[in-house]
Amino acid sequence: MVRVVLWGSLNKLAADRAYYEVEAKNIIELLRSLGNEYPKLKPTFDRGVAVAIEGTLYQDNWFQPIPPDSEVYVLPRLAGG
Amino acid sequence: MSQIHVTTTINGDTTEYLCNPEDTLLDVLRDTLRMTGTKEGCGTGDCGACSVTVDGRLVCSCLMLGAEAEGKSVETIEGMADGEELHPLQTKFLEHAALQCGICTPGFLVAAKSLLERNPDPTEEETRYWLAGNLCRCTGYDKIIRAVLDTAAEMRQEKSNAA
Amino acid sequence: MPLDSDQDTKPRTSFKYVGTRPIRPDGLEKVTGKAKFGADTFATGMLHGLILRSPHAHARIKSIDTSKAAALPGVKAVVTADDFKIEQEPGEMANVRANIMARGKVLYDGHAVAAVAAVSKSVARAALKLIKVDYEVLPHVTDVDEAMADDAPLLHEGMITEGVEPAPTKPSNIATRYEFGHGDVDAGFAKADVIVEREFKTAATHQGYIEPHACLANLSSDGSGDIWVCTQGHFMIRDSVCSLLGIDFSKVRVQSSEIGGGFGGKTTVFIEPVAAALSIKSGHPVKIVMSREEVFRATGPTASSSSRIKIGATKDGRIVAADGLFKYQGGAFPGSPVEFGAMAAFACYDLENVRAVGYDVVTNRPKQAAYRAPGAPMACYAVDNVIQELADKLGMDGIDFRLKNAADAGTKSSYGPVYPAIGLKTTLEAAKKHPHYSAPIGANQGRGVACGFWFNFGGQTSVSLNISPDGTVNLTTGTPDIGGSRSSYCLMAAEELGIPYEHVRASIVDTGVIGYNDVTDGSRVTFAGGLATINAARNAIKEMCSRAAQMWGIDVEAVKWEDGYAKPSGANAGDHEPLSLAQIAADAPNTGGPIAGHVECNADGAGVSFATHICDVEVDRETGRTSIKRYTVLQDAGKAVHPSYVEGQYQGGAVQGIGWALNEEYIYNDKGLLDNAGFLDYRIPVASDLPMIDTQILEIPNPGHPYGVRGVGETSIVPPLAAVSIAVSKAVGVQLSELPISPPKLLKALS
């Protein structure tokens, strides 16, 4: 089981919960699972998001493994200058 | 309107070209003579990237017409090194990491050379004010000023060694 | 996928080459004027492209008649929005399509409307004059707060604010609402002994790179060919141009020139698709070089902002709640970096209750582009001013108050994840000890301290390392060098291979030669490119050990690589003379062929970089002029691969921030037209404005990189806005809340 926290405004498009418990072995499974349960999240996920696992930020890493019982944050896709 | 025939000297070489009346010296250097070392940053004399010397005077080549170079002596960045021997300013800029993207570097080198020819022992303030007409967006000017002051010191030392 | 990590995963701490200051490999060409930038190339039969731009801030295009322009002798092609036929899915590329050439409406002063390619610049200028555009001028709005009002002129008829549930029924100029944070700010404020609440405004600024955008496109009628362009991402240029014109990616090769500054402003397309379209239509190469005025009017400045910050603390100096509202306008299309501003605003602090709300708003201004730590400077400016005001009200020293509330390893960040090892406290403690902090201050002078932060990320990176028969090495990369990364790559390759730095050369090759590379941005290149270089070197080393093993007739496991030599790994492996890299390279044809290492990856493990800045100013109360008397940057680099270039980033970012704080702003008149589209009136810092910028590099290794490297290029622009503003506020005894603190604005605040 993975505990997922969505950023505030994105959270409101799901169920506005402090966190969600999801069965997922990697990032793409996590996003698919959440997207299926809360379809309003899908457009944002399709545009791309960043995912923080144990403090490390990942972008575009579908198969990045998520250790069981870890806490994961979904954040806007980062850009720099 | 027909083009103007100009005969001038660039970096010691006699050079002839044809230019339109409205062409700036910068246009001629870059587009006609393909000497792209001199850069255009603004076209209005505000950034100094197009700095050259004309008869020993530091000017923005974007503020001068190509036709005005007739009979004059123009020095650009391409004439600063002597064959494979760099000018001390060029060497010091490299040693001090006084350039990052390098677009402003030719302008700064020409301007700094002009400063040291007039004033071999400038203070930091004099150096900063002389170079205030050259914009740099990458370095914050710190390493550029250090490179110029270090070059001045080295050139003074060599002169007194030679004497 | 995570990179191969069968090596020891803790960062290395002792180095032979990394951390030294050799001359950069591209330096000689830059000091002699030989280096070729965007506008420094020519092609036989080349045409000059020129773009016609809107003279109105907001107008409907009723018709465009290009017939007289097309008929002018010397004009070989004319394009308008009709020439960009490929429909794009709603989203960023659709917005780019409408930005590079206006569709139906012009949305800002300078918006491209049509373009010509002609045999000379003067014919091109004459042709533009012959294009007839019939405009219906519409009301415009350029201020962010005004654009959010109910009666504001609407830029996009269908724009419904995203991120609001339930969605609004009426369209507006608000593209998106963002929210971050955790805890309960109301409960937190109830516990506060002191609360400070203040509003702030910042103006739009431009990255101010000295080199205007320039490109040369040479494409044939089937779309194939090449493009030369100054850019931070030539793969991005290729993908965008091809997507907009319906060309297979493999048909177009893009070569990045040397770049005369980017800072984020060259991470997108403006003129390149237009040059490409003109080239295809005319059958000739087409060169387009922007004028400085075009750069200001029609490239991508950063957002202007309007924000409100409220922070509460107990009397013993612990922050109990922080709440921020950030409104950014990003020009005529959605995409201001307000979400990054909201995420970064409170990132330096350990907060139990925090909330940051951001609104992305559109206005009749050019479409914004990234500018060094996009979104963070204006947000941290507002927050750090309030932090200082709180510290003052509590009678605490500014650094002590920040230290008491500083984020550290294990802190839950204001944007969500828990921090691993970070360097903020180290920079604060170093600042406190620094002689600058205890130096005396004179009359009309003031001192400001501020903290800053920026994310790093990795991204797609490909590197090839090829070993020549003489044992020297070529590194082939695809990340344009905007800060000295070539020398850093060479240092890291030299370190891994154990050969002199001078034996390694790095070049940035075109999109047809190397694997994909994301744009050079986000402080990612020394981190991600470095990681790829190190792993490419390690792959090459594996191959060389295998060759040595064969030559010695032993197992490859019995061979180790040390100081540039393959050696038997122990006495059991046998008594074999070590083989140098040069020797193995010389024999390569006979032992299996060319030796190389290749890495294509999506680099992960980027760390974050924190900084503290100290700034002393002196104010002339008669003229309103502020001079910087002393400036110190203390920033965590993880591991400084080439210290001179790390210092260069610290100094350059700090000075851009100083300009942002004191002088730079976009000034629009009441017609919505830009009044100061040149370097005379858009006043960036010059050498005589500044003292030396002192720097201190701290190194708290990033566990995600083999050498501990953190990206440093952006963080240094984040603290200066607050550091300068706080210093001036202290110098004049008035709390200032608007940037830039230009002489007229300061005199008004003092009156």
Side-chain angles (χ1 to χ4, degrees), chain A residues 7-13 40 43-44 47 76-77, chain C residues 91-92 95 144 147-148 156 158-165 167-168 170-180 325-331 333-340 342 356-363:
Chain A
W7 85 78
S9 33
L10 190 68
N11 201 6
K12 293 191 174 23
L13 298 180
K40 283 185 179 162
T44 306
R47 281 198 293 261
R77 194 174 166 65
Chain C
E92 183 56 18
N95 295 338
V144 60
M148 291 175 78
H156 302 278
M159 182 169 279
I160 301 287
T161 311
E162 282 186 31
V164 178
E165 201 53 25
K170 258 184 67 184
S172 71
N173 291 320
I174 306 170
T176 313
R177 179 186 185 279
Y178 292 95
E179 186 173 327
F180 302 91
L325 172 66
F326 305 93
K327 295 167 278 179
Y328 288 10
Q329 66 74 26
F333 298 91
S336 81
V338 72
E339 76 268 41
F340 305 130
V357 172
Y359 287 98
D360 176 23
V361 180
V362 297
T363 64

Side-chain angles (χ1 to χ4, degrees), chain C residues 74-214:
Chain C
V75 173
K76 303 298 182 189
V78 182
V79 298
T80 63
D82 292 340
D83 292 279
F84 295 93
K85 294 187 177 48
I86 311 292
E87 290 293 324
Q88 305 290 332
E89 290 289 312
E92 183 56 18
M93 197 42 87
N95 295 338
V96 168
R97 182 182 181 224
N99 190 48
I100 55 140
M101 196 63 70
R103 313 192 73 82
K105 254 178 134 182
V106 290
L107 293 165
Y108 55 91
D109 168 29
H111 198 168
V113 175
V116 304
V119 294
S120 72
K121 288 185 200 171
S122 45
V123 172
R125 283 194 290 264
L128 287 195
K129 291 204 176 88
L130 294 174
I131 300 178
K132 295 276 162 277
V133 186
D134 190 9
Y135 293 107
E136 178 198 327
V137 179
L138 300 168
H140 66 273
V141 60
T142 53
D143 176 77
V144 60
D145 288 308
E146 285 170 27
M148 291 175 78
D150 280 330
D151 58 349
L154 203 62
L155 270 77
H156 302 278
E157 260 103 64
M159 182 169 279
I160 301 287
T161 311
E162 282 186 31
V164 178
E165 201 53 25
T169 46
K170 258 184 67 184
S172 71
N173 291 320
I174 306 170
T176 313
R177 179 186 185 279
Y178 292 95
E179 186 173 327
F180 302 91
H182 54 261
D184 181 345
V185 292
D186 293 322
F189 282 123
K191 293 197 217 123
D193 295 314
V194 187
I195 294 179
V196 172
E197 184 169 0
R198 220 171 250 292
E199 293 188 353
F200 297 89
K201 277 182 159 27
T202 68
T205 58
H206 194 274
Q207 302 82 354
Y209 32 82
I210 306 301
E211 176 198 35
H213 298 250

Side-chain angles (χ1 to χ4, degrees), chain C residues 542-630:
Chain C
K542 276 202 193 103
E543 184 58 30
M544 289 191 283
C545 288
S546 160
R547 304 293 176 99
Q550 278 185 289
M551 291 195 265
W552 293 331
I554 63 178
D555 276 336
V556 67
E557 285 78 39
V559 180
K560 66 177 178 186
W561 189 267
E562 200 174 78
D563 296 328
Y565 286 83
K567 299 178 179 174
S569 54
N572 292 357
D575 188 14
H576 303 284
E577 272 300 300
L579 282 169
S580 71
L581 181 145
Q583 288 170 298
I584 298 173
D587 289 333
N590 300 340
T591 60
I595 298 175
H598 303 280
V599 170
E600 289 89 26
C601 68
N602 189 348
D604 300 314
V608 293
S609 180
F610 282 92
T612 298
H613 290 201
I614 311 171
C615 173
D616 287 357
V617 303
E618 185 174 293
V619 176
D620 180 332
R621 285 173 176 269
E622 238 184 282
T623 61
R625 187 177 187 220
T626 303
S627 338
I628 306 288
K629 298 314 283 183
R630 189 168 176 179

Side-chain angles (χ1 to χ4, degrees), chain C residues 221-271:
Chain C
S221 55
D222 67 346
S224 64
D226 39 75
I227 301 178
W228 167 275
V229 56
C230 57
T231 178
Q232 291 175 241
H234 49 316
F235 286 85
M236 170 279 299
I237 297 278
R238 178 201 62 186
D239 296 357
S240 301
V241 170
C242 288
S243 299
L244 288 168
L245 294 174
I247 304 171
D248 290 346
F249 287 10
S250 53
K251 279 181 157 162
V252 176
R253 289 172 68 162
V254 184
Q255 173 67 58
S256 57
S257 67
E258 293 293 345
I259 178 174
F263 315 111
K266 291 179 178 162
T267 57
T268 182
V269 289
F270 294 106
I271 55 174

